[in-house]
Coordinates of all heavy atoms in Angstrom, one line a residue:
M1 N 26.8 0.1 -75.0 CA 26.3 1.1 -75.9 C 25.3 2.0 -75.1 O 24.5 1.4 -74.4 CB 25.7 0.5 -77.1 CG 25.2 1.5 -78.1 SD 24.7 0.7 -79.6 CE 23.0 0.9 -79.6
E2 N 25.5 3.2 -75.3 CA 24.5 4.2 -74.7 C 23.9 5.0 -75.8 O 24.6 5.4 -76.7 CB 25.2 5.0 -73.7 CG 25.7 4.3 -72.5 CD 26.4 5.2 -71.5 OE1 26.2 6.4 -71.5 OE2 27.2 4.6 -70.6
V3 N 22.6 5.3 -75.6 CA 21.9 6.1 -76.6 C 21.1 7.1 -75.8 O 20.5 6.8 -74.8 CB 21.0 5.3 -77.4 CG1 20.1 6.2 -78.4 CG2 21.7 4.2 -78.2
A4 N 21.1 8.4 -76.2 CA 20.3 9.4 -75.6 C 19.4 10.1 -76.6 O 19.9 10.3 -77.7 CB 21.2 10.4 -74.9
C5 N 18.2 10.4 -76.2 CA 17.3 11.1 -77.1 C 16.3 11.7 -76.2 O 16.0 11.3 -75.0 CB 16.7 10.1 -78.1 SG 15.6 8.9 -77.3
P6 N 15.7 12.8 -76.6 CA 14.6 13.5 -75.8 C 13.4 12.6 -75.8 O 13.0 12.0 -76.7 CB 14.4 14.8 -76.6 CG 14.8 14.6 -78.0 CD 15.9 13.5 -77.9
V7 N 12.7 12.6 -74.6 CA 11.5 11.9 -74.5 C 10.4 13.0 -74.3 O 10.3 13.6 -73.2 CB 11.5 11.0 -73.3 CG1 10.1 10.3 -73.1 CG2 12.6 10.0 -73.4
L8 N 9.7 13.3 -75.3 CA 8.8 14.4 -75.4 C 7.4 14.1 -74.8 O 6.7 15.0 -74.3 CB 8.6 14.9 -76.8 CG 10.0 15.3 -77.4 CD1 9.8 15.8 -78.9 CD2 10.7 16.4 -76.6
D9 N 7.0 12.9 -74.9 CA 5.6 12.5 -74.5 C 5.6 12.4 -72.9 O 6.5 11.6 -72.4 CB 5.3 11.1 -75.1 CG 3.8 10.7 -74.7 OD1 3.6 10.4 -73.5 OD2 3.0 10.7 -75.6
E10 N 4.8 13.1 -72.3 CA 4.8 13.1 -70.8 C 4.5 11.8 -70.2 O 5.1 11.4 -69.2 CB 3.7 14.2 -70.3 CG 4.1 15.6 -70.6 CD 5.4 16.0 -69.8 OE1 5.6 15.5 -68.7 OE2 6.2 16.8 -70.4
A11 N 3.6 11.0 -70.8 CA 3.3 9.7 -70.2 C 4.4 8.8 -70.3 O 4.7 8.0 -69.3 CB 2.0 9.1 -70.9
V12 N 5.1 8.8 -71.5 CA 6.3 7.9 -71.6 C 7.4 8.4 -70.7 O 8.1 7.5 -70.0 CB 6.8 7.9 -73.1 CG1 8.1 7.2 -73.2 CG2 5.7 7.4 -74.0
R13 N 7.6 9.7 -70.6 CA 8.6 10.2 -69.6 C 8.3 9.8 -68.2 O 9.2 9.4 -67.5 CB 8.7 11.7 -69.7 CG 9.8 12.3 -68.9 CD 9.9 13.8 -69.0 NE 10.1 14.2 -70.3 CZ 9.7 15.4 -70.8 NH1 9.0 16.3 -70.0 NH2 9.9 15.7 -72.1
A14 N 7.1 9.9 -67.8 CA 6.7 9.5 -66.4 C 7.0 8.0 -66.2 O 7.5 7.7 -65.1 CB 5.3 9.9 -66.1
R15 N 6.6 7.2 -67.2 CA 6.9 5.8 -67.0 C 8.3 5.5 -67.0 O 8.8 4.6 -66.2 CB 6.2 5.0 -68.2 CG 6.3 3.6 -68.2 CD 5.5 2.9 -67.1 NE 5.7 1.5 -67.1 CZ 5.6 0.7 -66.0 NH1 5.2 1.2 -64.9 NH2 5.8 -0.6 -66.1
L16 N 9.1 6.1 -67.8 CA 10.6 5.9 -67.8 C 11.2 6.3 -66.4 O 12.0 5.5 -65.9 CB 11.3 6.7 -68.9 CG 11.1 6.1 -70.3 CD1 11.7 7.1 -71.3 CD2 11.7 4.8 -70.4
F17 N 10.8 7.4 -65.9 CA 11.3 7.8 -64.5 C 10.8 6.8 -63.5 O 11.6 6.5 -62.6 CB 10.8 9.2 -64.2 CG 11.7 10.3 -64.8 CD1 11.2 11.1 -65.8 CD2 13.0 10.5 -64.4 CE1 12.0 12.1 -66.4 CE2 13.8 11.4 -65.0 CZ 13.3 12.2 -65.9
H18 N 9.6 6.3 -63.6 CA 9.2 5.3 -62.7 C 10.0 4.0 -62.8 O 10.4 3.4 -61.7 CB 7.7 4.9 -62.9 CG 7.2 3.8 -62.2 ND1 7.0 3.8 -60.8 CD2 6.9 2.5 -62.6 CE1 6.6 2.6 -60.4 NE2 6.5 1.8 -61.5
I19 N 10.3 3.6 -64.0 CA 11.1 2.4 -64.2 C 12.5 2.6 -63.6 O 13.0 1.7 -62.9 CB 11.2 2.1 -65.7 CG1 9.9 1.6 -66.2 CG2 12.3 1.0 -66.0 CD1 9.8 1.4 -67.7
I20 N 13.1 3.7 -63.8 CA 14.4 4.0 -63.3 C 14.4 4.1 -61.8 O 15.3 3.5 -61.1 CB 15.0 5.4 -63.9 CG1 15.3 5.2 -65.4 CG2 16.2 5.8 -63.1 CD1 15.5 6.5 -66.1
D21 N 13.4 4.7 -61.2 CA 13.3 4.7 -59.7 C 13.1 3.3 -59.2 O 13.8 3.0 -58.2 CB 12.0 5.5 -59.4 CG 11.9 5.6 -57.9 OD1 12.8 6.1 -57.2 OD2 10.8 5.3 -57.4
E22 N 12.3 2.5 -59.8 CA 12.2 1.1 -59.3 C 13.5 0.3 -59.4 O 13.8 -0.5 -58.5 CB 11.1 0.3 -60.1 CG 9.7 0.8 -59.7 CD 9.3 0.6 -58.2 OE1 9.9 -0.3 -57.5 OE2 8.6 1.4 -57.7
L23 N 14.2 0.5 -60.5 CA 15.5 -0.2 -60.7 C 16.5 0.2 -59.6 O 17.2 -0.6 -59.0 CB 16.1 0.2 -62.0 CG 15.4 -0.5 -63.2 CD1 16.0 0.1 -64.5 CD2 15.6 -2.0 -63.2
Q24 N 16.5 1.5 -59.2 CA 17.4 2.0 -58.1 C 17.0 1.5 -56.8 O 17.8 1.3 -55.9 CB 17.4 3.5 -58.1 CG 18.1 4.1 -59.4 CD 18.1 5.6 -59.5 OE1 17.2 6.2 -58.9 NE2 19.1 6.1 -60.1
R25 N 15.7 1.2 -56.6 CA 15.2 0.8 -55.3 C 15.3 -0.7 -55.1 O 15.2 -1.2 -54.0 CB 13.7 1.2 -55.1 CG 13.6 2.7 -55.0 CD 12.2 3.2 -55.0 NE 11.5 2.7 -53.8 CZ 10.2 2.8 -53.7 NH1 9.4 3.3 -54.6 NH2 9.6 2.4 -52.6
D26 N 15.5 -1.5 -56.2 CA 15.6 -2.9 -56.1 C 16.8 -3.3 -55.2 O 17.9 -2.8 -55.3 CB 15.9 -3.5 -57.5 CG 15.9 -5.0 -57.6 OD1 16.6 -5.6 -56.8 OD2 15.2 -5.6 -58.4
N27 N 16.5 -4.2 -54.2 CA 17.6 -4.7 -53.4 C 17.6 -6.2 -53.3 O 18.1 -6.8 -52.4 CB 17.5 -4.0 -52.0 CG 16.2 -4.3 -51.3 OD1 15.4 -5.1 -51.8 ND2 15.9 -3.6 -50.2
V28 N 16.9 -6.8 -54.2 CA 16.8 -8.3 -54.2 C 17.9 -8.9 -55.2 O 18.7 -9.7 -54.8 CB 15.4 -8.8 -54.6 CG1 15.4 -10.3 -54.8 CG2 14.4 -8.3 -53.5
K29 N 17.8 -8.4 -56.4 CA 18.8 -9.0 -57.4 C 19.8 -7.9 -57.9 O 20.6 -8.2 -58.7 CB 18.0 -9.5 -58.7 CG 17.1 -10.7 -58.3 CD 16.7 -11.4 -59.6 CE 15.9 -12.6 -59.2 NZ 16.2 -13.7 -60.0
A30 N 19.7 -6.7 -57.3 CA 20.6 -5.7 -57.7 C 22.0 -5.9 -57.4 O 22.3 -6.6 -56.4 CB 20.2 -4.3 -57.1
R31 N 22.9 -5.5 -58.2 CA 24.4 -5.6 -58.0 C 25.0 -4.2 -58.1 O 24.5 -3.4 -58.9 CB 25.0 -6.6 -59.0 CG 24.4 -8.0 -59.1 CD 24.8 -8.7 -57.8 NE 24.4 -10.1 -57.9 CZ 23.3 -10.6 -57.5 NH1 22.3 -9.9 -57.0 NH2 23.1 -11.9 -57.5
V32 N 26.1 -4.0 -57.5 CA 26.8 -2.8 -57.5 C 28.3 -3.1 -57.9 O 28.8 -4.0 -57.3 CB 26.8 -2.0 -56.2 CG1 27.6 -0.8 -56.2 CG2 25.4 -1.7 -55.8
M33 N 28.8 -2.4 -58.8 CA 30.2 -2.6 -59.2 C 31.1 -2.0 -58.2 O 31.0 -0.8 -58.0 CB 30.5 -2.1 -60.6 CG 31.9 -2.5 -61.1 SD 32.2 -2.2 -62.8 CE 32.2 -0.5 -62.9
G34 N 32.1 -2.7 -57.7 CA 33.0 -2.2 -56.8 C 34.2 -1.6 -57.4 O 34.3 -1.7 -58.7
P35 N 35.1 -1.0 -56.7 CA 36.3 -0.3 -57.3 C 37.2 -1.3 -58.0 O 38.0 -0.9 -58.9 CB 37.0 0.3 -56.1 CG 36.4 -0.2 -54.9 CD 35.1 -0.8 -55.3
D36 N 37.1 -2.6 -57.7 CA 37.9 -3.6 -58.3 C 37.3 -4.1 -59.6 O 37.8 -5.0 -60.3 CB 38.2 -4.8 -57.4 CG 36.9 -5.4 -56.9 OD1 35.8 -4.9 -57.2 OD2 37.0 -6.5 -56.3
G37 N 36.1 -3.6 -60.0 CA 35.4 -4.1 -61.2 C 34.5 -5.2 -61.0 O 33.8 -5.6 -61.9
A38 N 34.5 -5.8 -59.8 CA 33.7 -7.0 -59.5 C 32.3 -6.5 -59.0 O 32.2 -5.4 -58.4 CB 34.3 -7.9 -58.4
Y39 N 31.3 -7.3 -59.3 CA 29.9 -6.9 -58.9 C 29.6 -7.6 -57.6 O 29.9 -8.8 -57.4 CB 28.9 -7.3 -60.0 CG 29.0 -6.4 -61.2 CD1 29.8 -6.7 -62.2 CD2 28.2 -5.3 -61.2 CE1 29.9 -5.9 -63.3 CE2 28.3 -4.4 -62.3 CZ 29.1 -4.7 -63.3 OH 29.2 -3.9 -64.4
H40 N 28.9 -6.9 -56.7 CA 28.6 -7.4 -55.4 C 27.1 -7.1 -55.2 O 26.6 -6.1 -55.7 CB 29.4 -6.7 -54.3 CG 30.8 -6.8 -54.5 ND1 31.6 -7.9 -54.3 CD2 31.7 -5.8 -55.1 CE1 32.8 -7.6 -54.6 NE2 32.9 -6.4 -55.1
R41 N 26.4 -8.0 -54.4 CA 25.0 -7.7 -54.1 C 24.9 -6.4 -53.4 O 25.7 -6.0 -52.6 CB 24.5 -8.8 -53.1 CG 24.2 -10.1 -53.8 CD 23.4 -11.1 -52.9 NE 23.1 -12.2 -53.6 CZ 21.9 -12.4 -54.1 NH1 20.9 -11.5 -53.9 NH2 21.5 -13.5 -54.8
K42 N 23.8 -5.7 -53.7 CA 23.5 -4.4 -53.2 C 23.0 -4.6 -51.7 O 22.2 -5.5 -51.5 CB 22.4 -3.7 -53.9 CG 22.1 -2.3 -53.5 CD 21.0 -1.7 -54.5 CE 20.6 -0.4 -54.1 NZ 19.6 0.2 -54.9
K43 N 23.6 -3.9 -50.8 CA 23.3 -4.1 -49.4 C 22.3 -3.0 -48.9 O 22.6 -1.8 -49.1 CB 24.5 -4.2 -48.5 CG 25.4 -5.3 -48.8 CD 26.6 -5.4 -48.0 CE 27.5 -6.6 -48.4 NZ 28.8 -6.5 -47.8
E44 N 21.2 -3.4 -48.4 CA 20.2 -2.4 -48.0 C 19.7 -2.9 -46.6 O 19.6 -4.1 -46.4 CB 19.0 -2.4 -49.0 CG 19.4 -1.8 -50.3 CD 19.6 -0.3 -50.3 OE1 19.0 0.4 -49.4 OE2 20.3 0.2 -51.1
N45 N 19.3 -2.0 -45.8 CA 18.7 -2.3 -44.5 C 17.1 -2.3 -44.6 O 16.5 -2.3 -43.6 CB 19.2 -1.4 -43.4 CG 20.7 -1.6 -43.2 OD1 21.2 -2.7 -43.3 ND2 21.4 -0.6 -42.8
E46 N 16.6 -2.1 -45.8 CA 15.2 -2.0 -46.0 C 14.6 -3.4 -46.3 O 15.3 -4.4 -46.6 CB 14.9 -1.1 -47.1 CG 15.4 0.3 -46.9 CD 15.2 1.2 -48.0 OE1 14.5 0.9 -49.0 OE2 15.7 2.4 -48.0
A47 N 13.3 -3.5 -46.3 CA 12.6 -4.8 -46.6 C 12.9 -5.1 -48.1 O 13.2 -4.2 -48.9 CB 11.1 -4.6 -46.5
P48 N 13.0 -6.4 -48.4 CA 13.4 -6.8 -49.8 C 12.4 -6.2 -50.8 O 11.2 -6.1 -50.6 CB 13.2 -8.3 -49.8 CG 13.4 -8.7 -48.4 CD 12.8 -7.5 -47.6
R49 N 12.9 -5.7 -51.9 CA 12.1 -5.1 -53.0 C 12.7 -5.5 -54.3 O 13.8 -5.1 -54.6 CB 12.1 -3.5 -52.8 CG 11.2 -2.9 -53.9 CD 11.1 -1.4 -53.6 NE 10.2 -0.8 -54.5 CZ 8.9 -0.5 -54.3 NH1 8.4 -0.9 -53.1 NH2 8.1 0.0 -55.2
S50 N 11.9 -6.2 -55.1 CA 12.3 -6.6 -56.4 C 11.6 -5.8 -57.5 O 10.3 -5.9 -57.6 CB 11.9 -8.1 -56.6 OG 12.1 -8.5 -57.9
C51 N 12.3 -5.1 -58.3 CA 11.7 -4.3 -59.4 C 11.0 -5.2 -60.3 O 10.0 -4.9 -60.9 CB 12.7 -3.4 -60.0 SG 14.0 -4.3 -61.0
Q52 N 11.5 -6.5 -60.5 CA 10.9 -7.4 -61.5 C 9.5 -7.7 -61.0 O 8.5 -7.8 -61.8 CB 11.7 -8.6 -61.6 CG 13.0 -8.4 -62.3 CD 13.9 -9.6 -62.4 OE1 13.4 -10.7 -62.1 NE2 15.1 -9.5 -62.8
E53 N 9.3 -7.9 -59.7 CA 8.0 -8.2 -59.2 C 7.0 -7.0 -59.3 O 5.9 -7.2 -59.6 CB 8.1 -8.7 -57.7 CG 8.7 -10.0 -57.6 CD 8.9 -10.4 -56.1 OE1 8.3 -9.8 -55.2 OE2 9.6 -11.5 -55.9
V54 N 7.6 -5.8 -59.1 CA 6.8 -4.6 -59.2 C 6.3 -4.5 -60.7 O 5.1 -4.2 -60.9 CB 7.6 -3.3 -58.8 CG1 6.9 -2.1 -59.1 CG2 7.9 -3.4 -57.3
F55 N 7.2 -4.6 -61.6 CA 6.9 -4.5 -63.0 C 5.8 -5.6 -63.5 O 4.9 -5.3 -64.2 CB 8.1 -4.6 -63.9 CG 9.1 -3.5 -63.7 CD1 10.4 -3.7 -63.8 CD2 8.7 -2.2 -63.3 CE1 11.3 -2.6 -63.6 CE2 9.6 -1.2 -63.1 CZ 10.9 -1.4 -63.3
Q56 N 6.0 -6.8 -62.9 CA 5.0 -7.8 -63.3 C 3.6 -7.5 -62.7 O 2.6 -7.8 -63.4 CB 5.5 -9.2 -62.8 CG 6.7 -9.7 -63.5 CD 7.3 -11.0 -62.9 OE1 7.0 -11.3 -61.8 NE2 8.2 -11.6 -63.7
R57 N 3.6 -6.9 -61.5 CA 2.2 -6.6 -61.0 C 1.7 -5.4 -61.8 O 0.4 -5.3 -61.9 CB 2.4 -6.2 -59.5 CG 2.5 -7.3 -58.6 CD 2.3 -6.8 -57.1 NE 3.1 -5.7 -56.8 CZ 4.4 -5.8 -56.2 NH1 4.9 -6.9 -56.0 NH2 5.0 -4.7 -55.9
E58 N 2.5 -4.5 -62.3 CA 2.0 -3.3 -63.0 C 1.6 -3.6 -64.4 O 0.8 -2.9 -65.0 CB 3.1 -2.2 -63.0 CG 3.3 -1.6 -61.6 CD 4.5 -0.6 -61.6 OE1 5.2 -0.5 -62.6 OE2 4.6 0.0 -60.6
E59 N 2.2 -4.6 -65.0 CA 2.0 -4.9 -66.4 C 0.6 -4.9 -66.9 O 0.3 -4.2 -67.9 CB 2.7 -6.2 -66.8 CG 2.8 -6.4 -68.3 CD 3.5 -5.4 -69.1 OE1 4.4 -4.7 -68.5 OE2 3.3 -5.3 -70.3
P60 N -0.3 -5.6 -66.2 CA -1.7 -5.5 -66.7 C -2.3 -4.1 -66.7 O -3.1 -3.8 -67.6 CB -2.5 -6.4 -65.7 CG -1.4 -7.3 -65.1 CD -0.2 -6.5 -65.1
Q61 N -1.9 -3.3 -65.7 CA -2.4 -1.9 -65.7 C -1.9 -1.1 -66.9 O -2.6 -0.3 -67.5 CB -2.0 -1.2 -64.4 CG -2.8 -1.7 -63.2 CD -2.3 -1.0 -61.9 OE1 -1.1 -0.9 -61.7 NE2 -3.2 -0.5 -61.2
V62 N -0.6 -1.3 -67.2 CA 0.0 -0.6 -68.3 C -0.7 -1.0 -69.6 O -1.0 -0.1 -70.4 CB 1.5 -0.9 -68.4 CG1 2.1 -0.4 -69.7 CG2 2.3 -0.4 -67.2
Q63 N -1.0 -2.2 -69.8 CA -1.6 -2.7 -71.0 C -3.1 -2.1 -71.1 O -3.5 -1.7 -72.2 CB -1.6 -4.2 -71.1 CG -0.3 -4.8 -71.3 CD -0.3 -6.3 -71.4 OE1 -1.3 -6.9 -71.3 NE2 0.9 -6.8 -71.6
E64 N -3.8 -2.1 -70.0 CA -5.2 -1.6 -70.0 C -5.3 -0.1 -70.3 O -6.2 0.4 -70.9 CB -5.9 -1.9 -68.7 CG -6.1 -3.4 -68.5 CD -6.7 -3.7 -67.1 OE1 -7.0 -2.7 -66.3 OE2 -6.8 -4.9 -66.7
N65 N -4.3 0.7 -69.8 CA -4.4 2.1 -69.8 C -3.6 2.7 -71.0 O -3.5 3.9 -71.0 CB -3.9 2.7 -68.5 CG -4.7 2.3 -67.3 OD1 -5.9 2.0 -67.5 ND2 -4.1 2.1 -66.2
S66 N -3.1 1.9 -71.9 CA -2.2 2.4 -72.9 C -2.8 2.3 -74.3 O -3.5 1.4 -74.6 CB -0.8 1.7 -72.9 OG -0.2 1.9 -71.6
E67 N -2.3 3.2 -75.1 CA -2.6 3.1 -76.6 C -1.7 1.9 -77.1 O -0.7 1.6 -76.5 CB -2.2 4.4 -77.3 CG -3.0 5.6 -76.9 CD -4.5 5.5 -77.3 OE1 -4.7 4.9 -78.4 OE2 -5.3 5.9 -76.6
P68 N -2.1 1.3 -78.1 CA -1.3 0.1 -78.6 C 0.1 0.5 -78.9 O 1.0 -0.3 -78.5 CB -2.1 -0.3 -79.9 CG -3.5 0.2 -79.7 CD -3.4 1.4 -78.9
S69 N 0.4 1.6 -79.5 CA 1.8 1.9 -79.8 C 2.6 2.2 -78.5 O 3.8 1.7 -78.4 CB 1.9 3.1 -80.7 OG 1.3 4.3 -80.1
L70 N 2.0 2.8 -77.5 CA 2.7 3.0 -76.3 C 2.9 1.7 -75.5 O 3.9 1.4 -74.9 CB 1.9 4.0 -75.4 CG 2.5 4.3 -74.0 CD1 3.9 4.9 -74.1 CD2 1.6 5.3 -73.3
R71 N 1.9 0.8 -75.6 CA 2.0 -0.5 -75.0 C 3.2 -1.3 -75.6 O 4.0 -1.9 -74.9 CB 0.7 -1.3 -75.2 CG 0.7 -2.6 -74.6 CD -0.6 -3.4 -74.8 NE -1.8 -2.6 -74.7 CZ -2.8 -2.7 -75.5 NH1 -2.9 -3.7 -76.4 NH2 -3.9 -1.9 -75.4
V72 N 3.4 -1.2 -76.9 CA 4.5 -1.9 -77.6 C 5.8 -1.3 -77.1 O 6.7 -2.1 -76.8 CB 4.3 -1.9 -79.1 CG1 5.6 -2.4 -79.8 CG2 3.1 -2.7 -79.5
L73 N 5.9 0.0 -77.1 CA 7.1 0.7 -76.7 C 7.5 0.3 -75.2 O 8.6 -0.1 -74.9 CB 6.9 2.2 -76.8 CG 8.1 3.0 -76.2 CD1 9.4 2.8 -76.9 CD2 7.7 4.5 -76.2
L74 N 6.5 0.4 -74.3 CA 6.8 0.0 -72.9 C 7.1 -1.4 -72.8 O 8.0 -1.8 -72.0 CB 5.6 0.4 -72.0 CG 5.3 1.9 -71.9 CD1 4.1 2.1 -71.1 CD2 6.5 2.6 -71.3
G75 N 6.5 -2.3 -73.5 CA 6.9 -3.7 -73.4 C 8.3 -3.9 -73.9 O 9.0 -4.7 -73.2
R76 N 8.7 -3.2 -74.9 CA 10.2 -3.4 -75.3 C 11.1 -2.8 -74.3 O 12.2 -3.4 -74.0 CB 10.3 -2.7 -76.7 CG 9.7 -3.3 -77.8 CD 9.8 -2.6 -79.1 NE 9.1 -3.2 -80.2 CZ 8.9 -2.7 -81.3 NH1 9.2 -1.4 -81.5 NH2 8.2 -3.3 -82.3
I77 N 10.8 -1.7 -73.7 CA 11.6 -1.1 -72.7 C 11.7 -2.0 -71.5 O 12.8 -2.2 -70.9 CB 11.0 0.3 -72.2 CG1 11.2 1.3 -73.4 CG2 11.7 0.8 -71.0 CD1 10.4 2.6 -73.2
I78 N 10.6 -2.5 -71.0 CA 10.6 -3.4 -69.8 C 11.4 -4.7 -70.1 O 12.2 -5.1 -69.3 CB 9.1 -3.7 -69.4 CG1 8.5 -2.4 -68.8 CG2 9.1 -4.9 -68.4 CD1 7.0 -2.5 -68.6
A79 N 11.2 -5.2 -71.3 CA 12.0 -6.4 -71.7 C 13.5 -6.1 -71.7 O 14.3 -7.0 -71.2 CB 11.5 -7.0 -73.0
A80 N 13.9 -5.0 -72.2 CA 15.3 -4.7 -72.3 C 15.8 -4.5 -70.9 O 16.9 -4.9 -70.6 CB 15.5 -3.4 -73.1
L81 N 15.1 -3.8 -70.0 CA 15.5 -3.6 -68.7 C 15.6 -4.9 -67.9 O 16.6 -5.1 -67.1 CB 14.6 -2.6 -67.9 CG 14.6 -1.2 -68.4 CD1 13.5 -0.4 -67.8 CD2 16.0 -0.6 -68.1
R82 N 14.7 -5.8 -68.1 CA 14.7 -7.1 -67.5 C 16.0 -7.9 -67.9 O 16.6 -8.6 -67.1 CB 13.5 -7.9 -67.7 CG 12.3 -7.4 -67.0 CD 11.0 -8.2 -67.3 NE 9.9 -7.7 -66.5 CZ 8.6 -7.8 -66.8 NH1 8.3 -8.5 -67.9 NH2 7.7 -7.3 -66.1
R83 N 16.3 -7.8 -69.2 CA 17.5 -8.5 -69.7 C 18.7 -7.9 -69.1 O 19.6 -8.6 -68.7 CB 17.5 -8.4 -71.3 CG 16.6 -9.4 -72.0 CD 16.9 -9.4 -73.5 NE 16.9 -8.2 -74.1 CZ 15.8 -7.6 -74.7 NH1 14.6 -8.2 -74.6 NH2 15.9 -6.4 -75.3
A84 N 18.8 -6.6 -69.0 CA 19.9 -5.9 -68.4 C 20.1 -6.3 -66.9 O 21.2 -6.5 -66.5 CB 19.8 -4.4 -68.6
I85 N 19.0 -6.4 -66.2 CA 19.0 -6.8 -64.8 C 19.5 -8.2 -64.7 O 20.3 -8.5 -63.8 CB 17.7 -6.6 -64.1 CG1 17.3 -5.2 -64.0 CG2 17.6 -7.3 -62.8 CD1 15.9 -4.9 -63.7
A86 N 19.1 -9.1 -65.6 CA 19.5 -10.5 -65.5 C 20.9 -10.8 -65.7 O 21.5 -11.8 -65.3 CB 18.6 -11.3 -66.4
E87 N 21.6 -9.8 -66.4 CA 23.0 -10.0 -66.8 C 23.9 -9.9 -65.6 O 23.8 -9.3 -64.7 CB 23.4 -9.1 -67.9 CG 22.7 -9.3 -69.2 CD 23.1 -8.4 -70.3 OE1 23.9 -7.4 -70.0 OE2 22.7 -8.6 -71.4

């Protein structure tokens, strides 16, 4: 299922773009779907980078610098992204 909606809040938009960027840079647990429909490990020649580790290090900063409603929203987004990565 895909859902699209405008993200009007600049802080939320910046965080979402950061999350997407980190997901794309992940080369530890990332998988890429091949033409046959099978998933294969993402091959990179760069140093290992885990978006999960980046998000875990950032989480205390997000909580300290956020309004409660934004904190709840970002927590839900991060949890959903972590579940999607784990699948």
Side-chain angles (χ1 to χ4, degrees):
M1 180 169 112
E2 294 181 17
V3 177
C5 64
V7 179
L8 304 177
D9 186 290
E10 289 296 326
V12 174
R13 184 181 302 152
R15 181 71 179 152
L16 286 173
F17 278 111
H18 171 68
I19 290 169
I20 292 168
D21 181 54
E22 288 300 330
L23 289 170
Q24 291 175 335
R25 295 172 67 190
D26 186 306
N27 59 8
V28 173
K29 294 196 176 217
R31 303 291 189 269
V32 178
M33 186 170 66
D36 60 352
Y39 287 91
H40 309 280
R41 284 188 173 263
K42 186 176 178 181
K43 295 179 183 168
E44 295 283 334
N45 293 329
E46 300 175 7
R49 183 177 184 92
S50 169
C51 67
Q52 293 178 8
E53 291 177 10
V54 171
F55 296 147
Q56 288 172 349
R57 282 193 310 268
E58 293 175 349
E59 186 65 21
Q61 289 178 310
V62 171
Q63 290 180 2
E64 290 173 9
N65 298 330
S66 300
E67 296 293 325
S69 60
L70 180 58
R71 185 181 318 143
V72 170
L73 172 64
L74 290 177
R76 290 177 183 164
I77 291 169
I78 291 169
L81 291 171
R82 286 180 179 155
R83 284 192 304 271
I85 291 168
E87 292 179 355

